[in-house]
Amino acid sequence: MSNPAVKLRSMLALLFAFLIVVVVQMGVFIVEQVGEKSLPDAFLLFALADVAIGYAGVRIVWRCLKQAYLSRKWLKHFRANRHAKLSKRLNAKYRDWGTEILVVRDDAFIALTLGMLRPKIVLSTALFEMFDDKELEAVLLHERYHCRNNDGPKMFLSALLADAFGYWPLIHPILRYYRTWKELFADRYAIREMGTELYLGSVLLKLSKLGHPSRRNEAGVHFADAAMNYRMMQVLEPDRPVKVPTALLRPLLASCSLLLLLMLGGDS
């Protein structure tokens, strides 16, 4: 399967199919326990399932509350530190995008997509000192891809799944693969729109010299979030396919074995 988009969709379909079976099995455990008048024979297995169900529920609620708090907090902070002149200039220049661009006064590297229903692009004033106009446009195009593809809600969902079901070995490899290709696809969009890898490559090279840029909030999709090595490879060797390893066999077998154990325990 050479097409990364097809492979990614197949892996996500596998992940969601697996999680549906897990959730259904959790529901079976709950129904069986509610209907039992005496303790089930597989008491320990049912107790472990209860812990897993409770853990997933608590983590989902916690993640939702945390996301709402961080989104509100950082949007308020960004608006309070808005650079009116630069924000107005970029919004006028890219008004046909239909996406708000917010420039904030900050010496740290900030380039992210923030918001669920109406995503915004947030840049710090530091970028105007680090990059020229073409490099800045490459960053904006990368973030525009995230806005157009609703990557904010998708990344929130991936974080939700990792929080609630991260104890299943299958979860993290697939989500890591998804996050890597999310950035690679956004870079490809920027390259395609600009017609050259030069400007995005220059941005990535400057970022690599910075090490790991400061990331002070978790509410958005960050430009320098992940996969820098693969992104550099894609820019430096555009004619060579980028191969992102999956290593799914062992996690899949381990997850299926645990699921089978749960299903057999529920039937006992």
Side-chain angles (χ1 to χ4, degrees), residues 42-58:
F43 172 74
L44 179 59
L45 194 58
F46 274 80
L48 289 174
D50 289 341
V51 171
I53 294 168
Y55 175 84
V58 169

Side-chain angles (χ1 to χ4, degrees), residues 109-123:
F109 178 93
I110 299 175
L112 58 90
T113 299
L114 182 68
M116 293 286 186
L117 299 179
R118 298 180 64 185
K120 304 167 182 59
I121 297 174
V122 181
L123 304 177

Side-chain angles (χ1 to χ4, degrees), residues 96 117 119 134 160 210 258:
D96 58 316
L117 299 179
K134 286 294 186 179
L160 206 63
L210 287 178
L258 289 173

